């Protein structure tokens, strides 16, 4: 179905023109000092608001911007909780900072791995907004308990066991609260648009919202450090209950205006009910003939094949995640062995500085890619495919590791020559942090797009949750790798002052191992891409042979499942073939004598 909307501005007011769902034509209002813009949207127009494409540029609707804002406050609450997590375990429960960081890594991995459960619930029952309502309740309870454990003085606690019970209870509620929240919000934002380019930009801005929240959290932490004597682990920014409450309120407002575009596709509940009815009719007391009707949903076998393909492509994300979690930790550790004085300013917390710089790079990269790089490629009739962007991201990550290796060698030599006092400024880490940020943008966001594009109809949330689960497993793999290094070669990941003459460590060897791992995952990724492209070519050849043999005697129609599937896969693989020239169902109904399209 096509839908046309006309926007007419009269004296600063906007009026929405009429709509004709049968013919896809909208009436235009004209008059003095009026500007009429006609936009063609090739699907159901969700949430009667300003269209996305105006004069070739993407305009953001109020609903989509609200989802971005909800994602921002949700991410801000998450970053604050991670800060409070370290504060409680170190200052209240008397754990070491190293142990608290390990627990935080495990907590992050578990929360990401549980996202697939929320995705399944969003695709079945109680649906996306019902699932969000339940998760927000759990998240708010967990955030309040964590805030109590952080702010409550030890003098008001009867014993340490009570405080520990409060802290672990907050962790349980927070894990339940984050089950599917990121998945649902990101997919809801993408479902607001129908154009592939707009969906791609949506995922970019969702990731932009996350890093904007991280930047605000880092800036507030650094401001607290500069204005007080509070240590980094005690720095408390915006309370998490306030942030998550604001996010929940925004989602409630969005729910009243959001109209879900339900796709006909695989439905887990409907499939189970259908199979149960068939078994009941076949083996029940009164067998009845089972009507042979065409199943409108994707067969489970096809769904499993699609998920297997998505998992294979996610090997790049898995490899990147292992390197990324190790790189950020070692970059922060490496910064403590460098000269942290920039001009007349001394950086008290190099770790916060590294995170801040990484987030700034990401926030600058995303708008530049959307408005400059991708736009120039489109003007030339070209497009950077998802697989190419993922390969670029992994190459940038490898470059970051190689740059860190060179910095570590130079740092060790400098420390040795100057008696344990490094003269190299912390700014020497800029290239490796910049490359790591570029690798994050290209790899993670491109993987988001691929998963969403290839996901079976009716299983968008589940597929995206599977992506988060794979990414969450990287934290466990990274934790296992870290424990292996600490038990076998502790000098590769030293603790304390790494610039002392007797504890210079050998982190350059750790970087070499990480580079070898990344190269291995990159080779696996290339093999997967080549295999998928060969399967795609074979499938197209089979389709053409079937057409030539007369098995397929009808043209592909614009808006049909075949056309939309081919368009989505071509967008993912970067091919330039366009299917917008095929006739629509309406045009064929109006002109029944239209000849069949020949390839």
């Amino acid at each position: 179905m096509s839908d046309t909307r006309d926007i007419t501005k009269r004296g600063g007011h906007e009026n929405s023109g009429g709509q004709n769902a049968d013919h896809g034509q909208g009436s235009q209002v004209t008059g003095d000092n009026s500007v009429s813009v006609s936009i063609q949207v090739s699907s159901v127009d969700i949430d009667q608001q300003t269209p996305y494409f105006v004069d070739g540029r993407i305009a953001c609707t109020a609903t989509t911007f609200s989802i971005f804002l909800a994602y921002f406050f949700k991410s801000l609450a998450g970053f604050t909780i991670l800060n409070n997590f370290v504060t409680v375990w170190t200052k209240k429960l008397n754990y070491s900072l190293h142990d608290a960081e390990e627990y935080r890594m495990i907590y992050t991995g578990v929360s990401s791995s549980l996202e697939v459960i929320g995705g399944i619930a969003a695709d079945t029952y109680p649906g996306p907004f019902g699932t969000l309502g339940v998760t927000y309740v759990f998240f708010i309870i967990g955030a309040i308990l964590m805030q109590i454990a952080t702010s409550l003085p030890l003098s008001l606690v009867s014993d340490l066991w009570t405080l520990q019970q409060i802290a672990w209870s907050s962790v349980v509620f927070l894990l339940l609260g984050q089950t599917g929240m990121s998945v649902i919000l990101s997919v809801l934002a993408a479902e607001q648009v129908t154009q592939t380019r707009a969906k791609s930009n949506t995922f970019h801005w969702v990731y932009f919202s996350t890093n904007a929240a991280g930047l605000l959290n880092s800036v507030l932490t650094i401001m607290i450090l500069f204005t007080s004597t509070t240590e980094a682990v005690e720095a408390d920014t915006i309370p998490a209950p306030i942030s998550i409450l604001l996010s929940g309120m925004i989602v409630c407002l969005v729910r009243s205006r959001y109209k879900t575009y339900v796709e006909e596709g695989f439905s887990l509940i409907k499939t189970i009910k259908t199979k149960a009815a068939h078994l009941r009719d076949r083996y029940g007391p009164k067998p009845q003939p089972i009507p042979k009707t065409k199943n409108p949903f994707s067969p489970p076998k096809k769904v499993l094949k699609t998920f297997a393909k998505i998992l294979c492509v996610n090997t790049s994300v898995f490899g990147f995640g292992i390197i990324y979690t190790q790189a950020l930790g070692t970059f922060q550790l490496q910064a403590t062995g460098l000269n942290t004085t920039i001009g007349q300013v001394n950086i008290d917390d190099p770790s916060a500085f590294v995170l801040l710089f990484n987030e700034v790079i990401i926030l600058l990269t995303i708008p530049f890619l959307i408005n400059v790089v991708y736009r120039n490629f489109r003007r030339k009739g070209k497009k950077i495919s998802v697989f190419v962007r993922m390969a670029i991201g992994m190459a940038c990550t490898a470059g970051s590791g190689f740059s860190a290796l060179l910095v570590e060698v130079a740092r060790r030599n400098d420390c040795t020559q100057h008696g344990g006092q490094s003269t190299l400024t912390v700014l020497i880490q800029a290239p490796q942090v910049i490359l790591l940020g570029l690798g994050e943008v290209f790899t993670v966001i491109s993987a988001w797009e691929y998963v969403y594009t290839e996901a079976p109809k009716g299983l968008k949330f589940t597929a995206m949750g599977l992506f988060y689960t794979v990414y969450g497993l990287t934290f466990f793999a990274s934790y296992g790798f870290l424990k292996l290094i600490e038990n076998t070669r502790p000098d590769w990941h030293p603790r304390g002052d790494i610039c002392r003459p007797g504890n210079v460590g050998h982190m350059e060897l750790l970087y070499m191992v990480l580079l070898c791992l990344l190269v291995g995952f990159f080779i696996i990724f290339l093999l997967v891409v080549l295999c998928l492209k060969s399967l795609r070519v074979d499938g197209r050849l089979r389709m053409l042979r079937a057409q030539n043999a007369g098995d397929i005697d009808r043209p592909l129609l614009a808006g049909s499942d075949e056309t939309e599937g081919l368009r989505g896969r071509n967008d993912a693989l970067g091919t330039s073939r366009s299917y917008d020239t095929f006739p629509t169902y309406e045009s064929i109904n109006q002109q029944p004598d239209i000849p069949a399209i020949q390839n």
Side-chain angles (χ1 to χ4, degrees), residues 246-511:
L246 290 174
S247 178
M249 293 173 61
I250 294 172
V251 170
C252 291
L253 295 176
V254 170
R255 178 66 183 92
S256 61
R257 307 186 66 182
Y258 188 94
K259 295 182 180 179
T260 306
Y261 176 59
V262 181
E263 291 181 320
E264 283 293 331
F266 179 83
S267 175
L268 183 61
I269 291 181
K270 291 183 179 180
T271 301
I272 294 175
K273 289 182 177 180
T274 303
K275 294 295 183 182
H278 285 191
L279 292 175
R280 183 177 61 252
D281 294 338
R282 176 170 296 179
Y283 301 104
K286 295 181 180 180
Q288 298 178 0
I290 302 175
K292 295 182 179 181
T293 58
K294 183 179 180 181
N295 185 11
F297 308 110
S298 301
K301 186 177 180 180
K302 183 178 180 181
V303 171
L304 292 177
K305 288 183 178 180
T306 303
F307 279 151
K309 180 170 61 175
I310 291 175
L311 286 175
C312 290
V313 174
N314 279 344
T315 53
S316 63
V317 179
F318 189 80
F320 168 80
I322 294 177
I323 309 304
Y324 180 77
T325 53
Q326 290 293 327
L328 277 183
T330 54
F331 287 179
Q332 297 170 26
L333 182 61
Q334 190 182 64
T336 60
L338 296 170
N339 186 6
T340 57
T341 301
I342 302 177
Q344 302 297 326
V345 179
N346 183 32
I347 301 175
D348 295 330
D349 188 7
S351 301
F353 173 78
V354 172
L355 291 175
L356 178 66
F357 193 65
N358 177 260
E359 288 151 358
V360 169
I361 294 301
I362 294 174
L363 293 180
L364 293 177
T365 301
I366 290 177
F368 180 77
L369 289 176
I370 293 176
N371 298 313
V372 178
V373 178
Y374 297 156
R375 180 173 295 179
N376 288 334
F377 270 88
R378 285 193 303 270
R379 288 176 179 175
K380 297 178 181 179
K382 300 179 180 179
K383 181 180 179 181
I384 306 178
S385 70
V386 172
F387 291 150
V388 172
R389 280 182 280 161
M390 294 173 72
I392 292 175
M394 298 188 73
C396 290
T397 307
S400 173
F402 184 73
S403 177
L405 190 151
L406 297 179
V407 170
E408 181 62 21
V409 173
R411 185 199 64 79
R412 291 182 68 251
N413 295 334
D414 184 69
C415 286
T416 303
Q417 294 175 2
H418 296 86
Q421 296 294 328
S422 176
T423 60
L424 297 177
T425 176
V426 72
L427 294 179
I428 198 175
Q429 288 186 313
Q432 64 198 57
V433 178
I434 291 175
L435 289 173
L436 185 64
L438 293 176
E440 184 177 353
V441 170
F442 280 109
T443 305
V444 177
I445 299 179
S446 301
W448 273 6
E449 294 181 37
Y450 178 80
V451 171
Y452 179 84
T453 302
E454 292 292 322
K457 293 182 178 180
L459 287 176
K460 298 290 186 183
F461 296 101
T462 304
M464 192 63 69
L466 191 63
F467 164 81
Y468 275 93
T469 298
V470 172
Y471 192 69
L473 293 177
T474 61
F475 288 91
F476 294 104
S478 180
Y479 175 76
F481 177 78
L482 180 61
K483 298 302 292 185
L484 178 64
I485 294 298
E486 289 181 349
N487 294 331
T488 57
R489 299 300 300 267
D491 57 329
W492 288 13
H493 199 285
R495 303 182 185 183
D497 186 3
I498 65 173
C499 205
R500 290 182 303 175
N503 190 23
V504 293
H506 291 282
M507 281 198 302
E508 73 279 2
L509 301 178
L510 176 63
Y511 288 132

Side-chain angles (χ1 to χ4, degrees), residues 52 114 130 142 155 196 235 283-284 311 384 430 443 477 522 532 548 591:
Y52 268 81
L114 294 177
S155 58
T196 303
Y283 301 104
L311 286 175
I384 306 178
T443 305
F522 185 69
L532 290 178
N548 294 332
Q591 301 176 8

